[in-house]
C-alpha cells in the first residue's frame, strides 16, 4: 500500500488520495473505471444499480454557459442501464483485478423504501469484492416518481430505515448520499447516522429546469420520440461549478452538526482549489463527475500535483490537517462583527480603468467612486465598505483598508 503525501483514511478505508469519481457516466462500465484508476484517481463510486436496468431518454443533458464557458449541467439520466449480473459476474471482478491494488471501489445501490430490497442489494453487492457501499437516496428525477432516490432522501424516517436495512446485509462501510433538495440537510444527515451510516456523501444534483429553447418553446434537454418530433423534457439534476456554493454550504452544515462522521464532498469540483475548499469545510474525500465529463479523467494529474504543491507551500503534512480548517470561521449572521470602519482602496498599479466599480457604486453602492484625471478615486466619507466594487472589478484592484 503506497502512503504518498495525499493518502487519507476514510470510514476505515485507506485511500492513496482523496479523489474519487462519483457515481455517474464516468463510472458506467469497467473499462473506463480501470482507465481512470491507472491515471491516478483514488477510487470510484460505480454507477448506481437497482434491481432492474434503466432505459434512458435521448438526449438527456443540457448545459449552462456564461460567455462561452461551461458553468453548469443538467441531466435527466437515471441509473445503470446494465443488468446487475454484468456488474457482479464481470465488471467488478475485472476492476478489482486490473486497477491498482489501493484503488477503492464503492458500489452505489438504490431500491424502494421497502427494507428487504436494500438488505438484498447490500448483501449481493458486498460479495463482489467492493470496498464500500453508497446508498443513493438522492437522485432528484425519475426515481422519486417511483418512490425511490430523493423521495427517500427527503424523509428522515425512511433514510434511517433503509440505512438500517442495508447495514443488515453487509459488514462493509456504508456511505449515504444525500440530496440538496431539502430545506435542512442536518436532520437527514442525523437520520442516516442513526441508521448506522459510516460516512455521508453530499451533494447529489439540484433539481432544476436548465432553460428553454425560445424558438420552439421547448425546455432543454430534448427527449426525442422515434420521429424526432415533439421533443419533451422534465425537471433534471443540476451539477458542475454553478452548484459549488450549494455543495460547500451543505457539506459545512453537516460537518458542523456531525463532527465525527466522515464526509465525501462533491458538487462542482473542477480543480485543486475547489478541492481545498471542500476539504476546508469538512470533507475528507472528494468526488467528481461533471469536470470529468467535460475535461476527461486526465484532470486528476493537475489536481493532485497542485494540491501536493499547495500543501508543501503551506506546511500541511497530511490532507487530514486541511479538513475542517474553515469551519470555525463560519458563524451565524448575528455573531458577525458589524459596522467595522473599512473603506475601499483602489490599487493604481492594478487598476485597468474598466470603470465597472464606478457604475456599480453609483447605482447600487453609495456613490463613493469618481474619476479624477486618469485615476479612479474612492471618497472615504461616502464609502460604506459594502464590497460591491471589489466583486465587479475585473482587475482585482480593490482592497479594503481601515477608515482613518
Ligand atoms: C449524467 C449524470 C448522471 C448521474 N448519475 C448518478 C447516479 O447514477 N448515481 C448518483 O448517485 N449520482 C449520479 N449523478 C450525480 C453525481 O454523481 C454528482 O453527485 C453530481 O453530479 C455533483 O457532482 P459534480 O458537480 O462534480 O457533477 C449523476 C450526474 C450526472 C451529470
Ligand atoms: S465598498 Fe461599496 S460604497 Fe465603497 S466604493 Fe465600493 S461599492 Fe462604493
Amino acid at each position: 500500500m503506497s502512503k504518498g503525501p495525499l493518502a487519507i483514511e476514510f470510514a476505515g478505508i485507506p485511500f492513496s488520495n482523496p479523489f474519487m469519481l462519483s457515481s455517474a457516466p464516468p463510472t458506467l462500465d469497467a473499462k473506463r473505471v480501470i482507465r481512470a484508476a491507472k491515471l491516478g484517481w483514488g477510487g470510484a463510486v460505480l454507477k448506481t444499480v437497482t434491481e432492474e436496468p434503466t432505459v434512458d431518454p435521448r438526449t438527456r443533458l443540457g448545459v449552462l454557459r456564461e460567455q462561452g464557458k461551461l458553468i453548469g449541467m443538467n441531466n435527466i439520466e437515471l441509473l445503470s442501464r446494465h443488468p446487475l449480473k454484468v456488474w457482479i459476474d464481470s465488471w467488478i471482478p475485472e476492476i478489482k483485478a486490473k486497477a491498482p491494488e489501493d484503488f477503492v471501489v464503492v458500489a452505489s445501490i438504490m431500491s424502494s423504501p421497502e427494507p428487504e430490497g436494500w438488505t438484498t442489494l447490500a448483501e449481493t453487492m458486498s460479495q463482489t469484492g467492493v470496498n464500500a457501499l453508497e446508498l443513493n437516496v438522492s437522485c432528484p428525477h425519475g426515481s422519486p416518481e417511483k418512490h425511490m432516490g430523493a423521495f427517500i432522501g427527503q424523509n428522515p424516517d425512511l433514510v434511517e430505515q433503509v440505512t438500517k436495512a442495508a447495514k443488515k446485509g453487509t459488514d462493509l462501510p456504508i456511505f449515504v448520499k444525500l440530496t440538496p433538495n431539502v430545506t435542512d440537510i442536518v436532520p437527514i444527515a442525523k437520520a442516516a447516522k442513526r441508521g448506522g451510516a459510516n460516512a455521508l456523501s453530499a451533494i447529489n444534483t439540484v433539481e432544476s429546469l436548465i432553460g428553454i429553447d425560445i424558438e420552439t418553446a421547448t425546455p432543454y434537454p430534448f427527449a426525442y420520440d422515434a420521429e424526432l418530433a415533439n421533443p419533451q423534457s422534465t425537471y433534471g439534476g443540476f451539477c458542475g461549478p454553478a452548484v459549488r456554493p450549494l455543495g460547500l454550504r451543505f457539506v459545512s452544515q453537516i460537518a458542523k452538526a456531525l463532527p465525527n462522521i466522515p464526509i465525501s464532498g462533491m458538487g462542482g469540483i473542477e480543480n485543486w482549489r475547489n478541492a481545498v475548499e471542500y476539504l476546508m469545510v469538512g470533507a475528507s474525500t472528494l468526488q467528481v463527475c461533471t469536470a470529468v465529463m467535460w475535461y476527461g479523467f486526465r484532470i486528476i494529474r493537475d489536481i493532485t500535483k497542485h494540491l501536493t504543491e499547495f500543501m508543501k507551500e503551506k506546511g500541511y503534512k497530511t490532507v487530514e490537517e486541511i479538513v475542517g480548517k474553515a469551519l470555525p470561521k463560519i458563524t451565524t449572521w448575528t455573531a458577525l462583527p458589524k459596522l467595522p470602519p473599512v473603506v475601499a482602496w483602489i490599487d493604481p498599479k492594478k487598476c485597468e480603468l474598466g470603470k465597472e466599480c464606478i457604475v456599480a457604486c453609483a447605482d447600487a453602492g453609495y456613490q463613493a467612486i469618481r474619476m479624477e484625471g486618469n485615476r479612479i478615486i474612492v471618497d472615504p466619507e461616502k464609502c460604506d465598505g459594502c464590497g460591491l466594487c471589489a466583486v465587479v472589478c475585473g482587475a482585482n484592484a480593490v482592497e479594503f483598508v481601515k477608515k482613518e
Side-chain angles (χ1 to χ4, degrees):
M1 161 78 49
S2 65
K3 186 108 175 57
L6 300 185
I8 190 158
E9 193 177 294
F10 182 85
I13 307 166
F15 280 75
S16 58
N17 69 60
F19 297 99
M20 284 196 277
L21 300 167
S22 75
S23 176
T27 63
L28 67 75
D29 65 17
K31 238 192 187 152
R32 65 189 76 198
V33 173
I34 294 163
R35 199 146 48 79
K38 291 183 175 166
L39 277 170
W41 289 85
V45 185
L46 306 176
K47 179 79 185 159
T48 303
V49 292
T50 185
E51 288 86 355
E52 291 300 323
T54 293
V55 181
D56 271 317
R58 291 170 177 137
T59 64
R60 50 184 174 272
L61 299 172
V63 292
L64 199 60
R65 289 177 191 269
E66 200 53 57
Q67 296 179 339
K69 185 173 164 32
L70 289 163
I71 60 163
M73 182 160 69
N74 182 7
N75 85 87
I76 52 171
E77 169 171 311
L78 220 55
L79 313 177
S80 175
R81 63 174 62 183
H82 302 287
L84 262 177
K85 198 170 156 42
V86 173
W87 285 102
I88 296 165
D89 294 347
S90 310
W91 286 351
I92 296 174
E94 192 185 342
I95 296 168
K96 291 306 283 181
K98 294 187 181 162
E101 211 187 327
D102 55 5
F103 183 75
V104 176
V105 183
V106 181
S108 166
I109 59 173
M110 182 191 282
S111 194
S112 76
E114 300 306 321
E116 296 73 28
W118 290 93
T119 308
T120 309
L121 266 180
E123 201 169 5
T124 311
M125 295 312 284
S126 53
Q127 284 159 10
T128 59
V130 294
N131 303 85
L133 302 180
E134 187 173 86
L135 313 188
N136 179 345
V137 291
S138 42
C139 176
H141 48 269
S143 316
E145 295 163 23
K146 301 173 183 164
H147 289 187
M148 293 158 86
F151 175 85
I152 296 176
Q154 289 164 341
N155 178 329
D157 294 337
L158 291 182
V159 168
E160 182 175 350
Q161 175 179 311
V162 304
T163 309
K164 275 187 180 147
K167 287 293 282 184
K168 220 165 126 187
T170 185
D171 290 328
L172 292 177
I174 287 199
F175 313 168
V176 177
K177 183 167 178 181
L178 303 178
T179 172
N181 302 297
V182 289
T183 313
D184 185 358
I185 205 164
V186 170
I188 313 283
K190 286 184 173 166
K193 188 161 183 250
R194 276 197 307 277
N198 304 87
L200 301 172
S201 305
I203 55 175
N204 206 319
T205 50
V206 181
E207 191 177 10
S208 72
L209 195 63
I210 191 103
I212 313 288
D213 173 18
I214 58 171
E215 299 300 324
T216 59
T218 311
Y220 297 109
F222 300 169
Y224 290 106
D225 62 13
E227 274 68 50
L228 302 191
N230 189 30
Q232 291 184 295
S233 200
T234 188
Y235 305 107
F238 192 45
C239 51
V243 308
R244 197 163 54 245
L246 298 176
L248 291 170
R249 170 199 152 200
F250 284 114
V251 168
S252 66
Q253 286 178 326
I254 299 166
K256 282 173 94 67
L258 298 169
N260 297 323
I261 192 155
I263 304 168
S264 193
M266 80 199 91
I269 298 176
E270 277 201 314
N271 55 42
W272 70 273
R273 285 178 189 277
N274 308 151
V276 173
E277 290 180 288
Y278 267 95
L279 292 170
M280 287 186 166
V281 295
S284 45
T285 58
L286 306 160
Q287 298 188 29
V288 183
C289 160
T290 303
V292 167
M293 289 180 72
W294 291 347
Y295 309 119
F297 293 134
R298 60 186 173 176
I299 61 169
I300 191 63
R301 293 200 181 125
D302 249 29
I303 293 178
T304 47
K305 177 173 172 272
H306 288 116
L307 176 58
T308 310
E309 285 167 5
F310 170 78
M311 286 171 59
K312 234 188 212 161
E313 188 190 314
K314 294 283 179 189
Y316 291 115
K317 296 208 168 45
T318 63
V319 171
E320 232 144 37
E321 287 176 25
I322 311 175
V323 175
K325 263 291 212 217
L327 288 176
K329 294 179 193 162
I330 304 175
T331 183
T332 58
W333 187 89
T334 309
L336 290 174
K338 312 280 175 3
L339 286 177
V342 296
V343 289
W345 175 77
I346 296 171
D347 184 344
K349 288 197 212 90
K350 289 188 184 164
C351 179
E352 292 167 357
L353 296 179
K355 298 184 190 164
E356 303 97 330
C357 60
I358 297 185
V359 175
C361 187
D363 293 355
Y366 296 79
Q367 298 88 44
I369 313 185
R370 65 179 192 279
M371 282 298 289
E372 241 181 54
N374 60 354
R375 268 193 74 177
I376 294 181
I377 302 289
V378 177
D379 178 346
E381 289 312 311
K382 289 186 179 167
C383 175
D384 185 66
C386 68
L388 177 61
C389 49
V391 298
V392 297
C393 176
N396 200 19
V398 183
E399 290 174 23
F400 288 89
V401 296
K402 208 161 175 226
K403 190 171 176 175
E404 294 302 320

